[in-house]
Amino acid sequence: MKILVIGSGGREHALVWKLAQSPHVTRMWCAPGNAGIAQERLAKNGALVECVNIGAEDLPRLLIFAQEKKIDLTVVGPDNPLALGIVDLFQKNGLRIWGVNQKAAQFESSKVFSQKFMEKYGIPTARAGTFSDAGEAKTFAAGFGGKCAVKADGLALGKGVLICAGVTEANKAIDEILIGKAFGAAGAKIVIQEFLEGVEISLHAICDGKTAKLFPTSQDHKRALDGDLGLNTGGMGTYSPTPFLSVAELKTVGNAILNPWLRGCAAEGIDFRGILYPGIMLVKKGGAGSPLPAAIAQSGAHGVTRPAEIDARVLEFNARFGDPETQVYLTRLENDLVELLDASVSGTLGKIELKWKPQASVCVVMASGGYPGSYPKGKPIHGLAEAAQLPDAKVFHAGTALKENQIVTNGGRVLGVTALGKDLKAAQAAAYAAVQKIHFDGAHFRRDIAAKAFPELFCQP
Ligand code: AMP
Protein backbone atom coordinates (compact mmCIF):
# COMPACT_ATOMS: atom_id res chain seq x y z
CA MET A 1 0.00 0.00 0.00
CA LYS A 2 1.10 3.55 -0.69
CA ILE A 3 0.44 5.88 2.24
CA LEU A 4 0.47 9.67 2.53
CA VAL A 5 0.55 11.23 6.01
CA ILE A 6 -0.39 14.91 6.33
CA GLY A 7 1.22 17.13 8.97
CA SER A 8 4.64 17.93 10.40
CA GLY A 9 4.56 17.57 14.18
CA GLY A 10 5.40 14.98 16.81
CA ARG A 11 1.97 13.41 16.33
CA GLU A 12 2.70 12.88 12.64
CA HIS A 13 6.15 11.47 13.36
CA ALA A 14 4.52 8.94 15.71
CA LEU A 15 1.90 8.09 13.07
CA VAL A 16 4.58 7.63 10.39
CA TRP A 17 6.77 5.54 12.72
CA LYS A 18 3.91 3.20 13.62
CA LEU A 19 2.49 2.96 10.07
CA ALA A 20 6.01 2.21 8.76
CA GLN A 21 6.07 -0.94 10.90
CA SER A 22 3.13 -2.41 8.99
CA PRO A 23 3.95 -5.12 6.43
CA HIS A 24 1.19 -3.66 4.24
CA VAL A 25 3.15 -0.48 3.47
CA THR A 26 5.42 -0.42 0.42
CA ARG A 27 5.92 3.33 0.07
CA MET A 28 5.18 6.32 2.28
CA TRP A 29 5.21 10.09 1.92
CA CYS A 30 4.63 12.81 4.48
CA ALA A 31 3.52 16.37 3.65
CA PRO A 32 5.33 18.41 4.76
CA GLY A 33 6.99 16.18 7.43
CA ASN A 34 10.14 17.00 9.41
CA ALA A 35 13.76 15.86 9.78
CA GLY A 36 12.89 12.88 12.00
CA ILE A 37 10.13 11.65 9.71
CA ALA A 38 12.60 11.72 6.79
CA GLN A 39 14.80 9.21 8.66
CA GLU A 40 12.09 6.57 9.13
CA ARG A 41 12.30 3.37 7.08
CA LEU A 42 9.56 0.93 6.11
CA ALA A 43 9.69 -2.49 7.79
CA LYS A 44 8.58 -4.15 4.54
CA ASN A 45 11.44 -3.07 2.26
CA GLY A 46 13.72 -0.65 4.10
CA ALA A 47 12.64 2.29 1.92
CA LEU A 48 12.92 5.74 3.48
CA VAL A 49 9.78 7.76 4.12
CA GLU A 50 9.81 10.71 1.70
CA CYS A 51 8.91 14.22 2.84
CA VAL A 52 7.18 16.43 0.26
CA ASN A 53 7.10 20.17 0.56
CA ILE A 54 3.34 20.74 0.52
CA GLY A 55 1.67 22.47 3.48
CA ALA A 56 -0.97 20.58 5.48
CA GLU A 57 -3.60 23.17 4.51
CA ASP A 58 -2.81 23.30 0.79
CA LEU A 59 -5.71 21.05 -0.14
CA PRO A 60 -5.54 21.47 -3.95
CA ARG A 61 -1.85 20.48 -4.13
CA LEU A 62 -2.30 17.61 -1.67
CA LEU A 63 -5.10 16.27 -3.86
CA ILE A 64 -3.00 16.48 -7.03
CA PHE A 65 -0.09 14.77 -5.26
CA ALA A 66 -2.29 11.92 -3.97
CA GLN A 67 -3.77 11.43 -7.43
CA GLU A 68 -0.38 11.45 -9.17
CA LYS A 69 1.16 8.96 -6.74
CA LYS A 70 -1.99 6.82 -6.65
CA ILE A 71 -2.04 6.89 -2.85
CA ASP A 72 -4.04 4.02 -1.35
CA LEU A 73 -4.62 5.67 2.04
CA THR A 74 -4.08 9.27 3.19
CA VAL A 75 -3.84 9.78 6.96
CA VAL A 76 -4.58 13.28 8.30
CA GLY A 77 -2.90 14.40 11.54
CA PRO A 78 -3.87 18.04 12.32
CA ASP A 79 -7.30 19.60 12.89
CA ASN A 80 -7.12 22.43 10.34
CA PRO A 81 -7.20 20.38 7.11
CA LEU A 82 -10.06 18.35 8.60
CA ALA A 83 -12.03 21.51 9.39
CA LEU A 84 -11.25 22.76 5.85
CA GLY A 85 -12.86 19.61 4.43
CA ILE A 86 -9.89 17.61 3.13
CA VAL A 87 -11.72 14.33 3.74
CA ASP A 88 -14.79 15.43 1.76
CA LEU A 89 -12.55 16.68 -1.07
CA PHE A 90 -10.51 13.47 -1.34
CA GLN A 91 -13.60 11.26 -1.13
CA LYS A 92 -15.33 13.27 -3.85
CA ASN A 93 -12.31 12.48 -6.01
CA GLY A 94 -12.46 8.77 -5.27
CA LEU A 95 -9.48 8.71 -2.86
CA ARG A 96 -9.38 6.75 0.38
CA ILE A 97 -8.57 8.99 3.34
CA TRP A 98 -8.59 8.56 7.12
CA GLY A 99 -9.86 11.39 9.34
CA VAL A 100 -13.21 13.05 10.01
CA ASN A 101 -15.26 14.81 7.34
CA GLN A 102 -16.13 18.50 7.65
CA LYS A 103 -19.47 17.88 9.35
CA ALA A 104 -17.88 15.59 11.95
CA ALA A 105 -14.94 18.01 12.41
CA GLN A 106 -17.44 20.48 13.91
CA PHE A 107 -17.00 18.71 17.24
CA GLU A 108 -13.64 20.46 17.34
CA SER A 109 -14.11 23.42 15.02
CA SER A 110 -17.17 24.73 16.91
CA LYS A 111 -17.41 24.68 20.70
CA VAL A 112 -20.97 26.01 20.43
CA PHE A 113 -21.90 23.02 18.25
CA SER A 114 -20.29 20.57 20.72
CA GLN A 115 -21.86 22.12 23.79
CA LYS A 116 -25.34 22.10 22.27
CA PHE A 117 -24.83 18.52 21.08
CA MET A 118 -23.76 17.38 24.56
CA GLU A 119 -26.79 19.01 26.13
CA LYS A 120 -29.20 17.63 23.51
CA TYR A 121 -27.98 14.05 23.85
CA GLY A 122 -27.29 13.93 27.59
CA ILE A 123 -23.50 13.72 27.51
CA PRO A 124 -22.12 14.66 30.95
CA THR A 125 -20.58 18.14 30.71
CA ALA A 126 -20.27 21.35 32.70
CA ARG A 127 -23.28 23.63 33.16
CA ALA A 128 -22.97 26.05 30.28
CA GLY A 129 -24.56 28.58 27.97
CA THR A 130 -23.77 29.81 24.44
CA PHE A 131 -23.87 33.49 23.55
CA SER A 132 -23.25 36.12 20.87
CA ASP A 133 -24.50 39.00 23.03
CA ALA A 134 -22.03 40.31 25.62
CA GLY A 135 -24.72 41.54 28.04
CA GLU A 136 -26.47 38.17 28.18
CA ALA A 137 -23.13 36.41 28.55
CA LYS A 138 -22.16 38.60 31.52
CA THR A 139 -25.46 37.96 33.29
CA PHE A 140 -24.95 34.21 32.83
CA ALA A 141 -21.33 34.30 34.04
CA ALA A 142 -22.40 36.33 37.09
CA GLY A 143 -24.66 33.39 38.01
CA PHE A 144 -21.44 31.45 38.70
CA GLY A 145 -19.93 34.39 40.57
CA GLY A 146 -17.72 34.84 37.48
CA LYS A 147 -15.95 31.52 38.17
CA CYS A 148 -16.11 30.16 34.67
CA ALA A 149 -14.35 29.25 31.44
CA VAL A 150 -15.07 31.65 28.55
CA LYS A 151 -14.45 29.88 25.23
CA ALA A 152 -14.30 31.27 21.71
CA ASP A 153 -16.47 29.14 19.43
CA GLY A 154 -13.96 28.46 16.65
CA LEU A 155 -10.37 27.27 16.25
CA ALA A 156 -8.02 29.76 17.93
CA LEU A 157 -4.66 27.95 17.98
CA GLY A 158 -5.45 26.51 21.42
CA LYS A 159 -5.65 30.00 22.92
CA GLY A 160 -9.39 30.61 22.81
CA VAL A 161 -10.21 29.53 26.38
CA LEU A 162 -10.00 32.10 29.19
CA ILE A 163 -10.33 30.81 32.75
CA CYS A 164 -11.88 33.41 35.06
CA ALA A 165 -11.85 33.59 38.86
CA GLY A 166 -14.47 36.31 39.35
CA VAL A 167 -16.98 38.67 37.76
CA THR A 168 -14.49 41.38 36.73
CA GLU A 169 -12.28 38.85 34.97
CA ALA A 170 -15.25 37.15 33.30
CA ASN A 171 -16.63 40.47 32.01
CA LYS A 172 -13.20 41.37 30.65
CA ALA A 173 -12.88 37.98 28.90
CA ILE A 174 -16.35 38.29 27.37
CA ASP A 175 -15.59 41.82 26.11
CA GLU A 176 -12.22 40.77 24.72
CA ILE A 177 -13.71 37.97 22.65
CA LEU A 178 -17.15 39.27 21.64
CA ILE A 179 -16.42 43.00 21.34
CA GLY A 180 -12.62 43.31 21.00
CA LYS A 181 -12.63 40.35 18.54
CA ALA A 182 -9.42 38.99 20.12
CA PHE A 183 -9.85 35.77 18.12
CA GLY A 184 -11.49 37.34 15.05
CA ALA A 185 -14.39 35.44 13.52
CA ALA A 186 -13.60 32.41 15.75
CA GLY A 187 -14.97 34.50 18.63
CA ALA A 188 -18.26 35.67 17.07
CA LYS A 189 -19.95 33.29 19.51
CA ILE A 190 -18.78 31.99 22.88
CA VAL A 191 -19.47 29.15 25.28
CA ILE A 192 -19.42 29.90 28.99
CA GLN A 193 -18.95 26.88 31.24
CA GLU A 194 -18.99 26.84 35.00
CA PHE A 195 -15.46 26.40 36.37
CA LEU A 196 -14.92 22.77 37.35
CA GLU A 197 -12.27 21.80 39.82
CA GLY A 198 -10.86 18.32 39.65
CA VAL A 199 -8.37 16.09 37.87
CA GLU A 200 -8.10 16.56 34.11
CA ILE A 201 -7.43 13.59 31.83
CA SER A 202 -7.59 12.85 28.10
CA LEU A 203 -9.57 10.10 26.44
CA HIS A 204 -9.32 8.89 22.86
CA ALA A 205 -11.73 6.67 20.96
CA ILE A 206 -11.33 5.46 17.39
CA CYS A 207 -14.62 5.47 15.50
CA ASP A 208 -15.99 4.11 12.24
CA GLY A 209 -19.37 5.82 12.00
CA LYS A 210 -21.17 3.37 14.28
CA THR A 211 -18.62 1.85 16.66
CA ALA A 212 -16.28 3.68 19.04
CA LYS A 213 -13.34 1.86 20.65
CA LEU A 214 -11.84 3.49 23.69
CA PHE A 215 -8.08 3.83 24.25
CA PRO A 216 -6.49 3.75 27.72
CA THR A 217 -6.31 7.04 29.65
CA SER A 218 -3.59 9.65 29.31
CA GLN A 219 -2.85 13.00 30.92
CA ASP A 220 -1.54 16.07 29.17
CA HIS A 221 0.62 18.85 30.67
CA LYS A 222 -0.51 22.05 28.97
CA ARG A 223 1.38 24.67 31.01
CA ALA A 224 4.93 25.61 30.09
CA LEU A 225 6.50 25.24 33.54
CA ASP A 226 6.76 22.66 36.32
CA GLY A 227 3.87 22.48 38.75
CA ASP A 228 1.40 23.56 36.03
CA LEU A 229 2.70 27.12 36.09
CA GLY A 230 3.43 29.45 33.20
CA LEU A 231 1.61 29.97 29.93
CA ASN A 232 -0.54 27.47 28.06
CA THR A 233 1.25 25.52 25.33
CA GLY A 234 0.32 22.91 22.75
CA GLY A 235 1.38 20.33 25.37
CA MET A 236 4.71 19.84 27.17
CA GLY A 237 4.37 16.13 27.81
CA THR A 238 2.01 13.31 28.57
CA TYR A 239 1.82 9.78 29.94
CA SER A 240 -0.37 6.71 29.74
CA PRO A 241 -2.04 5.09 31.57
CA THR A 242 -3.07 7.46 34.38
CA PRO A 243 -3.81 6.10 37.87
CA PHE A 244 -6.94 8.26 38.16
CA LEU A 245 -9.40 5.78 36.65
CA SER A 246 -9.47 2.02 37.14
CA VAL A 247 -10.13 -0.12 34.06
CA ALA A 248 -13.71 -0.68 35.28
CA GLU A 249 -14.26 3.05 35.86
CA LEU A 250 -12.84 3.88 32.44
CA LYS A 251 -15.41 1.55 30.92
CA THR A 252 -18.23 3.21 32.86
CA VAL A 253 -17.04 6.72 32.02
CA GLY A 254 -16.43 5.76 28.38
CA ASN A 255 -19.95 4.34 28.03
CA ALA A 256 -21.53 7.37 29.71
CA ILE A 257 -19.94 9.57 27.07
CA LEU A 258 -19.74 7.40 23.97
CA ASN A 259 -23.19 5.77 24.02
CA PRO A 260 -25.17 9.02 23.93
CA TRP A 261 -22.56 10.50 21.58
CA LEU A 262 -23.02 7.64 19.08
CA ARG A 263 -26.82 7.96 19.38
CA GLY A 264 -26.52 11.69 18.71
CA CYS A 265 -24.28 11.18 15.69
CA ALA A 266 -26.77 8.71 14.21
CA ALA A 267 -29.69 11.08 14.86
CA GLU A 268 -27.88 14.06 13.31
CA GLY A 269 -26.49 12.16 10.33
CA ILE A 270 -22.88 12.64 11.41
CA ASP A 271 -20.67 9.94 9.91
CA PHE A 272 -17.69 10.18 12.28
CA ARG A 273 -14.73 8.10 11.09
CA GLY A 274 -11.65 9.18 12.97
CA ILE A 275 -10.55 9.88 16.52
CA LEU A 276 -12.84 11.44 19.10
CA TYR A 277 -10.64 12.95 21.80
CA PRO A 278 -12.64 14.29 24.73
CA GLY A 279 -10.96 16.43 27.38
CA ILE A 280 -12.39 15.27 30.70
CA MET A 281 -12.57 16.72 34.20
CA LEU A 282 -12.99 14.15 36.97
CA VAL A 283 -15.05 15.84 39.68
CA LYS A 284 -16.36 14.67 43.01
CA LYS A 285 -19.54 12.64 42.52
CA GLY A 286 -22.61 14.82 42.42
CA GLY A 287 -20.29 17.78 42.71
CA ALA A 288 -20.71 19.57 39.40
CA GLY A 289 -20.20 23.18 40.25
CA SER A 290 -19.14 22.53 43.81
CA PRO A 291 -15.40 22.67 44.35
CA LEU A 292 -13.71 19.50 45.48
CA PRO A 293 -12.44 19.31 49.02
CA ALA A 294 -8.83 20.20 49.66
CA ALA A 295 -7.97 16.49 49.45
CA ILE A 296 -8.19 16.61 45.68
CA ALA A 297 -6.06 19.69 45.41
CA GLN A 298 -2.41 19.05 44.91
CA SER A 299 -1.03 17.04 47.77
CA GLY A 300 2.67 17.36 48.44
CA ALA A 301 4.77 18.94 45.72
CA HIS A 302 3.07 17.52 42.67
CA GLY A 303 1.03 14.44 43.38
CA VAL A 304 -2.71 14.52 42.96
CA THR A 305 -5.23 12.40 44.76
CA ARG A 306 -8.84 11.95 43.78
CA PRO A 307 -11.97 11.33 45.81
CA ALA A 308 -13.29 7.78 46.04
CA GLU A 309 -16.39 8.57 44.01
CA ILE A 310 -16.03 10.62 40.86
CA ASP A 311 -18.10 11.87 37.96
CA ALA A 312 -16.58 12.62 34.58
CA ARG A 313 -17.53 15.83 32.76
CA VAL A 314 -16.58 16.54 29.15
CA LEU A 315 -14.91 19.97 28.82
CA GLU A 316 -14.41 19.79 25.09
CA PHE A 317 -14.16 17.45 22.12
CA ASN A 318 -11.31 17.25 19.66
CA ALA A 319 -11.73 15.33 16.43
CA ARG A 320 -8.22 14.00 15.78
CA PHE A 321 -5.29 12.40 17.60
CA GLY A 322 -3.81 14.49 20.41
CA ASP A 323 -0.27 15.81 20.27
CA PRO A 324 1.64 14.56 22.31
CA GLU A 325 -0.96 11.90 23.32
CA THR A 326 -0.32 10.08 20.03
CA GLN A 327 3.32 9.54 20.99
CA VAL A 328 2.40 7.63 24.15
CA TYR A 329 -0.56 5.80 22.64
CA LEU A 330 1.25 4.54 19.57
CA THR A 331 4.28 3.36 21.53
CA ARG A 332 1.83 1.22 23.56
CA LEU A 333 -0.41 0.05 20.70
CA GLU A 334 0.12 -3.55 19.58
CA ASN A 335 -2.24 -3.54 16.60
CA ASP A 336 -1.15 -2.88 13.03
CA LEU A 337 -2.07 0.81 12.62
CA VAL A 338 -2.77 0.46 8.88
CA GLU A 339 -5.34 -2.24 9.61
CA LEU A 340 -6.86 -0.17 12.40
CA LEU A 341 -7.22 3.03 10.35
CA ASP A 342 -8.47 1.02 7.39
CA ALA A 343 -11.19 -0.51 9.57
CA SER A 344 -12.11 2.98 10.78
CA VAL A 345 -12.59 4.09 7.15
CA SER A 346 -14.43 0.87 6.14
CA GLY A 347 -16.81 0.74 9.10
CA THR A 348 -15.41 -2.61 10.29
CA LEU A 349 -13.91 -1.61 13.66
CA GLY A 350 -16.34 -4.00 15.37
CA LYS A 351 -14.16 -6.87 14.14
CA ILE A 352 -10.96 -5.47 15.66
CA GLU A 353 -9.85 -5.83 19.25
CA LEU A 354 -7.50 -3.08 20.42
CA LYS A 355 -4.39 -4.51 22.06
CA TRP A 356 -2.06 -2.48 24.29
CA LYS A 357 1.35 -3.23 25.67
CA PRO A 358 1.17 -3.60 29.45
CA GLN A 359 4.05 -1.12 29.79
CA ALA A 360 3.49 2.54 30.60
CA SER A 361 4.65 5.30 28.26
CA VAL A 362 5.90 8.81 29.06
CA CYS A 363 6.59 11.62 26.56
CA VAL A 364 8.65 14.68 27.55
CA VAL A 365 8.53 17.58 25.09
CA MET A 366 11.76 19.55 24.57
CA ALA A 367 10.90 23.07 23.41
CA SER A 368 12.76 26.06 21.99
CA GLY A 369 13.85 28.80 24.39
CA GLY A 370 11.02 31.35 24.62
CA TYR A 371 8.23 28.95 23.62
CA PRO A 372 5.21 29.43 23.81
CA GLY A 373 6.25 33.04 23.08
CA SER A 374 8.62 33.90 20.25
CA TYR A 375 11.70 31.70 19.85
CA PRO A 376 14.71 31.36 17.57
CA LYS A 377 15.00 28.65 14.92
CA GLY A 378 18.00 26.91 13.38
CA LYS A 379 19.74 25.84 16.61
CA PRO A 380 21.79 22.65 16.05
CA ILE A 381 20.47 19.66 18.02
CA HIS A 382 23.15 17.43 19.56
CA GLY A 383 22.93 13.97 21.09
CA LEU A 384 20.15 12.47 18.96
CA ALA A 385 22.36 9.50 18.02
CA GLU A 386 23.23 8.87 21.68
CA ALA A 387 19.54 9.00 22.69
CA ALA A 388 18.71 6.58 19.87
CA GLN A 389 21.03 4.00 21.49
CA LEU A 390 18.76 3.75 24.54
CA PRO A 391 16.62 0.66 24.07
CA ASP A 392 13.35 1.88 25.65
CA ALA A 393 13.28 5.41 24.21
CA LYS A 394 12.08 6.83 20.92
CA VAL A 395 12.68 10.47 20.04
CA PHE A 396 9.82 11.82 17.95
CA HIS A 397 10.62 15.02 16.07
CA ALA A 398 8.18 17.94 15.97
CA GLY A 399 9.82 21.25 14.97
CA THR A 400 13.04 20.06 13.32
CA ALA A 401 14.67 20.55 9.92
CA LEU A 402 17.80 19.36 8.15
CA LYS A 403 20.25 22.17 7.35
CA GLU A 404 23.61 21.35 5.77
CA ASN A 405 23.52 17.79 7.12
CA GLN A 406 22.76 18.97 10.65
CA ILE A 407 19.38 18.55 12.36
CA VAL A 408 18.31 21.94 13.70
CA THR A 409 15.36 23.38 15.61
CA ASN A 410 12.52 24.62 13.42
CA GLY A 411 9.55 25.18 15.73
CA GLY A 412 8.35 25.79 19.28
CA ARG A 413 7.94 22.19 20.31
CA VAL A 414 11.08 20.53 18.96
CA LEU A 415 11.15 16.91 20.18
CA GLY A 416 8.85 14.49 21.98
CA VAL A 417 11.19 12.19 23.90
CA THR A 418 9.11 9.10 24.59
CA ALA A 419 9.92 5.94 26.53
CA LEU A 420 8.25 2.74 27.63
CA GLY A 421 8.82 1.20 31.05
CA LYS A 422 7.42 -1.65 33.10
CA ASP A 423 5.50 0.97 35.06
CA LEU A 424 5.15 4.76 35.02
CA LYS A 425 8.20 5.33 37.19
CA ALA A 426 10.39 3.23 34.92
CA ALA A 427 8.98 4.93 31.81
CA GLN A 428 9.55 8.37 33.34
CA ALA A 429 13.14 7.50 34.28
CA ALA A 430 13.81 6.16 30.77
CA ALA A 431 12.33 9.25 29.10
CA TYR A 432 14.41 11.65 31.22
CA ALA A 433 17.54 9.52 30.67
CA ALA A 434 17.07 10.12 26.93
CA VAL A 435 16.32 13.83 27.46
CA GLN A 436 19.65 14.15 29.27
CA LYS A 437 21.51 12.99 26.15
CA ILE A 438 20.03 15.75 23.98
CA HIS A 439 21.14 19.38 23.87
CA PHE A 440 20.33 22.47 21.90
CA ASP A 441 20.79 26.13 22.68
CA GLY A 442 17.91 27.40 24.86
CA ALA A 443 16.19 24.01 25.20
CA HIS A 444 13.56 23.85 27.92
CA PHE A 445 11.39 21.03 29.17
CA ARG A 446 9.29 20.22 32.19
CA ARG A 447 10.89 18.05 34.83
CA ASP A 448 7.62 16.80 36.30
CA ILE A 449 5.92 14.95 33.46
CA ALA A 450 3.90 12.08 35.02
CA ALA A 451 4.78 13.28 38.54
CA LYS A 452 1.10 13.85 39.35
CA ALA A 453 0.75 10.08 39.23
CA PHE A 454 3.15 9.52 42.12
CA PRO A 455 3.78 12.25 44.64
CA GLU A 456 6.82 10.55 46.04
CA LEU A 457 8.71 10.74 42.78
CA PHE A 458 9.46 14.20 41.52
CA CYS A 459 11.95 13.60 38.77
CA GLN A 460 15.04 15.77 38.84
CA PRO A 461 17.27 14.87 35.93
P1 AMP B 1 -10.60 23.31 26.25
O1 AMP B 1 -9.82 23.71 25.03
O2 AMP B 1 -12.05 23.63 26.17
O3 AMP B 1 -10.31 21.92 26.73
O4 AMP B 1 -9.99 24.22 27.42
C1 AMP B 1 -8.59 24.34 27.61
C2 AMP B 1 -8.25 24.11 29.06
O5 AMP B 1 -8.97 25.02 29.89
C3 AMP B 1 -8.65 22.73 29.56
O6 AMP B 1 -7.63 21.81 29.27
C4 AMP B 1 -8.83 22.96 31.03
O7 AMP B 1 -7.58 22.93 31.72
C5 AMP B 1 -9.36 24.36 31.10
N1 AMP B 1 -10.83 24.33 31.17
C6 AMP B 1 -11.69 24.32 30.13
N2 AMP B 1 -12.96 24.29 30.54
C7 AMP B 1 -12.91 24.30 31.88
C8 AMP B 1 -13.93 24.28 32.91
N3 AMP B 1 -15.22 24.28 32.62
N4 AMP B 1 -13.51 24.27 34.19
C9 AMP B 1 -12.19 24.28 34.50
N5 AMP B 1 -11.20 24.31 33.60
C10 AMP B 1 -11.55 24.32 32.29
Side-chain angles (χ1 to χ4, degrees):
M1 271 174 93
K2 291 192 272 184
I3 305 252
L4 169 64
V5 175
I6 294 176
S8 62
R11 163 184 49 212
E12 287 75 24
H13 190 180
L15 286 166
V16 163
W17 169 80
K18 183 69 181 165
L19 290 165
Q21 292 166 29
S22 169
H24 299 293
V25 183
T26 51
R27 212 165 160 196
M28 199 187 313
W29 291 267
C30 186
N34 62 39
I37 289 172
Q39 291 181 332
E40 293 296 339
R41 288 184 184 277
L42 306 184
K44 171 102 179 161
N45 55 20
L48 276 170
V49 174
E50 298 160 66
C51 290
V52 277
N53 193 16
I54 306 176
E57 288 160 38
D58 191 344
L59 273 44
R61 285 183 64 210
L62 290 169
L63 176 64
I64 291 169
F65 182 83
Q67 285 170 326
E68 273 175 12
K69 298 292 181 195
K70 299 192 168 45
I71 300 291
D72 297 299
L73 180 67
T74 298
V75 175
V76 188
D79 50 349
N80 272 350
L82 297 170
L84 290 169
I86 191 169
V87 170
D88 313 62
L89 177 72
F90 272 46
Q91 284 174 346
K92 233 181 274 161
N93 285 276
L95 288 167
R96 206 166 163 75
I97 182 165
W98 180 82
V100 292
N101 60 30
Q102 203 167 23
K103 191 171 180 187
Q106 284 181 98
F107 280 107
E108 177 154 7
S109 62
S110 170
K111 287 189 190 285
V112 168
F113 170 86
S114 268
Q115 193 66 41
K116 288 190 170 162
F117 184 96
M118 287 195 275
E119 283 160 18
K120 185 167 176 188
Y121 293 101
I123 296 168
T125 179
R127 285 183 292 168
T130 58
F131 304 92
S132 51
D133 178 83
E136 287 172 22
K138 287 176 190 173
T139 306
F140 184 79
F144 299 128
K147 282 192 77 181
C148 63
V150 181
K151 307 186 175 191
D153 176 41
L155 296 174
L157 298 170
K159 292 179 182 155
V161 175
L162 304 176
I163 303 293
C164 308
V167 171
T168 314
E169 230 180 297
N171 288 349
K172 187 166 164 263
I174 291 164
D175 282 341
E176 264 173 36
I177 302 181
L178 283 179
I179 297 173
K181 304 263 174 265
F183 305 111
K189 289 187 261 179
I190 54 172
V191 173
I192 298 183
Q193 288 180 339
E194 65 179 324
F195 179 82
L196 293 179
E197 209 172 322
V199 179
E200 207 178 333
I201 61 165
S202 300
L203 297 182
H204 276 53
I206 187 160
C207 313
D208 70 355
K210 47 190 189 298
T211 304
K213 298 236 163 185
L214 201 57
F215 286 15
T217 55
S218 65
Q219 187 173 50
D220 202 355
H221 296 64
K222 283 273 176 217
R223 299 299 193 100
L225 305 174
D226 289 358
D228 289 338
L229 299 174
L231 295 172
N232 252 329
T233 69
M236 293 299 288
T238 188
Y239 66 96
S240 172
T242 77
F244 301 113
L245 280 183
S246 66
V247 172
E249 285 173 324
L250 174 60
K251 205 168 165 199
T252 309
V253 165
N255 285 339
I257 296 166
L258 294 175
N259 291 347
W261 178 79
L262 282 168
R263 272 199 300 279
C265 284
E268 305 281 333
I270 298 170
D271 188 11
F272 194 107
R273 297 176 194 233
I275 293 279
L276 184 74
Y277 156 16
I280 304 284
M281 192 70 88
L282 301 176
V283 299
K284 189 183 171 207
K285 199 166 187 66
S290 57
L292 294 168
I296 200 172
Q298 293 196 344
S299 66
H302 288 264
V304 166
T305 54
R306 49 150 276 199
E309 303 239 344
I310 46 97
D311 274 334
R313 302 260 177 265
V314 178
L315 298 180
E316 63 151 358
F317 283 127
N318 301 291
R320 37 82 198 170
F321 270 112
D323 187 351
E325 283 86 347
T326 309
Q327 290 84 315
V328 293
Y329 282 136
L330 296 188
T331 44
R332 295 190 64 207
L333 183 71
E334 301 255 30
N335 301 68
D336 181 314
L337 186 60
V338 174
E339 290 174 12
L340 191 58
L341 300 187
D342 203 58
S344 167
V345 175
S346 307
T348 53
L349 267 182
K351 292 186 194 148
I352 291 194
E353 189 195 343
L354 291 185
K355 294 205 178 97
W356 302 95
K357 294 196 174 98
Q359 287 108 310
S361 185
V362 172
C363 172
V364 179
V365 169
M366 297 183 76
S368 291
Y371 175 79
S374 60
Y375 50 82
K377 289 184 181 177
K379 302 286 180 195
I381 306 173
H382 305 288
L384 288 169
E386 289 80 352
Q389 301 295 314
L390 300 175
D392 299 321
K394 171 71 192 172
V395 179
F396 292 113
H397 291 220
T400 70
L402 193 64
K403 204 169 139 195
E404 292 155 13
N405 275 332
Q406 166 71 51
I407 293 181
V408 298
T409 65
N410 193 40
R413 291 190 294 169
V414 177
L415 303 167
V417 182
T418 308
L420 285 175
K422 69 177 184 347
D423 53 27
L424 276 173
K425 286 181 192 174
Q428 189 201 45
Y432 279 109
V435 166
Q436 277 196 303
K437 304 274 181 205
I438 302 171
H439 303 278
F440 53 90
D441 199 17
H444 79 92
F445 56 90
R446 280 182 60 162
R447 290 168 165 77
D448 64 347
I449 303 302
K452 281 196 189 106
F454 25 81
E456 70 280 19
L457 197 141
F458 177 46
C459 186
Q460 288 173 317

